[in-house]
Amino acid sequence: MKLLVSAMETSSNIHLAELKKHLNDDIELIGIFDKKLGNPNYDIEQLAIMGFVDALKRLPFFFKLKDEMVELAKDADKVLLMDSSGFNLPLAKAIKKKYPNKEVIYYILPQAWAWKKGRIPKIEKYCDKLCSILPFEKDYYSKKEKITYVGHPLLDEIEDYKTTASTSNKIAFMPGSRKNEIINLMPIFKKLIKNIPNKEYILIIPSKFDEEYIKNIYGDISAFTISNNAHESLKKSDYAFICSGTATLEAALIGTPFTLSYIAKKLDYFIGSRLVKLPAVGLANIFFSKMGKELIHSEFLQENVTVENLLNDYKKMDTNKFMENSKVLREYLKFGSSKNVARIIQN
């Protein structure tokens, strides 16, 4: 089987790597994915973008890329789309228009429940099978036969969870994986550690970054111990300060108390805050909101990301309560998704 894959995000490719373990050896991946997973036609390193403004600048490139992916679909038996709805949903439409009988599977669905619910009929129209990783997501879809809650990929990827609060004197810092995220948060984190003495400060940096990039973007990081293993470092740390994103859910599942921080470009934040109407930013908080429970962690956005706010949140955290909530979160998500998605692809 030839499987046309469109996995443009780093997180999607982590999930794809786990999924690949459960696919038959005779399944060949083509399309857009990390070159570590095979021989992609397009490597994700060339495609990373962040925010509305950056995306608009590269529209001509992505229109051309979509056309090329439609051509590749001709020789594919099935199509697997992962996240990146701004690109993947138009791609699904184009593939269905040209090849009406080609099966399109969407894994890591567009967050239509958060904004632009009007996209849901399009998702149902252009995709044959919908693999949901959010327990509440099915409620928003009308064609229930198309959508399945497959579990959450992080429950496959996280090997160990905390059962008791740690006392290692380690604090983890995750300023994100995008250039702007890191530039915005690192100066605040550097000031913050001066107010939390006698600790080991673990700075988690994506392994794909080379030394020159790290020097230019992170600046002086001599006060930190560097790690490339997020899960291991989070498990060993007593606390974490994390940029908004998948890492916050990872920490919540592992059982490491943390504070979420995020500083977006002003225009991106302005647009996003008017399009997205949610009670929280962090996924763990959104899950707890859906369960009718109190939010599991604090969130500081934009001008509220200050040393004083982060320090106060660190000092008042109830670690035992967080540990209990972490267990509730794991029970809510139930199981990992990779085996179930592999089964859907291979049926």
Side-chain angles (χ1 to χ4, degrees):
M1 179 195 293
K2 275 192 177 183
L3 183 65
L4 178 65
V5 176
S6 179
M8 306 176 82
E9 298 288 342
T10 300
S11 58
S12 299
N13 280 272
I14 293 171
H15 305 330
L16 180 61
E18 192 65 32
L19 169 62
K20 197 167 181 281
K21 295 177 185 178
H22 303 285
L23 293 175
N24 296 334
D25 292 338
D26 63 350
I27 293 181
E28 178 189 355
L29 305 186
I30 60 174
I32 303 168
F33 52 90
D34 193 325
K35 60 187 175 185
K36 295 174 185 174
L37 302 178
N39 297 303
N41 299 82
Y42 313 93
D43 182 26
I44 61 163
E45 292 299 316
Q46 309 160 358
L47 307 177
I49 58 171
M50 182 62 175
F52 299 99
V53 178
D54 289 343
L56 286 171
K57 291 178 182 176
R58 301 188 66 186
L59 274 178
F61 169 79
F62 284 104
F63 282 132
K64 182 173 181 291
L65 180 61
K66 183 192 72 175
D67 292 341
E68 291 173 357
M69 286 288 284
V70 172
E71 285 304 308
L72 282 175
K74 178 183 178 182
D75 297 322
D77 296 289
K78 295 185 180 183
V79 178
L80 177 66
L81 309 177
M82 300 182 69
D83 209 349
S84 306
S85 60
F87 179 80
N88 280 335
L89 197 49
L91 175 61
K93 179 180 179 180
I95 289 174
K96 273 296 175 185
K97 184 177 180 180
K98 191 161 186 177
Y99 312 108
N101 297 322
K102 193 80 64 175
E103 184 173 88
V104 177
I105 301 165
Y106 212 133
Y107 175 37
I108 321 292
L109 298 176
Q111 292 185 335
W113 50 271
W115 64 300
K116 288 192 176 181
K117 293 183 177 66
R119 293 184 298 175
I120 289 176
K122 295 179 181 178
I123 297 168
E124 293 178 325
K125 181 178 180 180
Y126 304 128
C127 302
D128 302 287
K129 294 178 180 177
L130 307 175
C131 301
S132 169
I133 63 170
L134 309 177
F136 61 83
E137 198 166 27
K138 191 170 185 176
D139 297 339
Y140 291 85
Y141 285 77
S142 60
K143 296 184 179 179
K144 307 295 186 187
E145 72 281 2
K146 285 197 169 190
I147 185 167
T148 305
Y149 174 64
V150 292
H152 201 285
L154 288 181
L155 293 184
D156 289 324
E157 295 155 18
I158 297 172
E159 296 180 357
D160 296 300
Y161 307 102
K162 291 184 181 182
T163 53
T164 57
S166 58
T167 54
S168 64
N169 272 343
K170 299 177 189 289
I171 299 178
F173 293 83
M174 300 184 72
S177 59
R178 310 283 189 177
K179 181 179 176 180
N180 288 328
E181 294 171 345
I182 298 163
I183 289 172
N184 288 334
L185 288 179
M186 277 308 298
I188 295 167
F189 287 171
K190 288 175 185 179
K191 292 176 184 176
L192 182 61
I193 63 174
K194 294 176 182 177
N195 292 274
I196 311 176
N198 305 316
K199 304 286 184 181
E200 183 180 357
Y201 315 111
I202 312 296
L203 180 61
I204 301 171
I205 297 178
S207 57
K208 64 182 180 181
F209 293 166
D210 59 35
E211 288 185 18
E212 184 179 353
Y213 184 85
I214 293 170
K215 183 179 178 181
N216 291 335
I217 303 304
Y218 290 80
D220 180 12
I221 52 176
S222 57
F224 296 87
T225 300
I226 308 305
S227 168
N228 300 126
N229 190 323
H231 292 175
E232 181 181 307
S233 298
L234 285 170
K235 186 161 190 278
K236 289 180 178 178
S237 298
D238 302 335
Y239 201 87
F241 293 94
I242 309 178
C243 177
S244 176
T246 305
T248 60
L249 182 57
E250 290 173 324
L253 288 168
I254 289 169
T256 301
F258 68 94
T259 301
L260 179 152
S261 305
Y262 192 68
I263 304 173
K265 291 179 180 178
K266 289 183 178 179
L267 179 57
D268 285 346
Y269 184 77
F270 176 82
I271 296 171
S273 63
R274 278 148 183 78
L275 291 175
V276 182
K277 302 298 181 184
L278 291 173
V281 172
L283 269 174
N285 275 344
I286 292 170
F287 292 150
F288 268 64
S289 175
K290 292 292 183 181
M291 287 186 274
K293 296 180 179 292
E294 183 183 338
L295 301 187
I296 187 175
H297 62 83
S298 298
E299 301 181 350
F300 296 98
L301 310 176
Q302 301 302 94
E303 66 274 3
N304 291 319
V305 183
T306 65
V307 172
E308 181 181 12
N309 283 342
L310 301 189
L311 185 62
N312 287 340
D313 198 53
Y314 165 74
K315 289 178 177 178
K316 72 179 184 182
M317 171 62 74
D318 184 338
T319 55
N320 291 325
K321 183 179 179 182
F322 190 92
M323 292 297 301
E324 287 300 313
N325 282 335
S326 179
K327 183 179 178 182
V328 169
L329 181 63
R330 293 195 294 271
E331 290 171 350
Y332 175 68
L333 294 178
K334 296 181 181 177
F335 41 75
S337 59
S338 302
K339 287 182 180 179
N340 290 327
V341 177
R343 192 179 301 116
I344 288 169
I345 290 170
Q346 291 166 167
N347 279 349

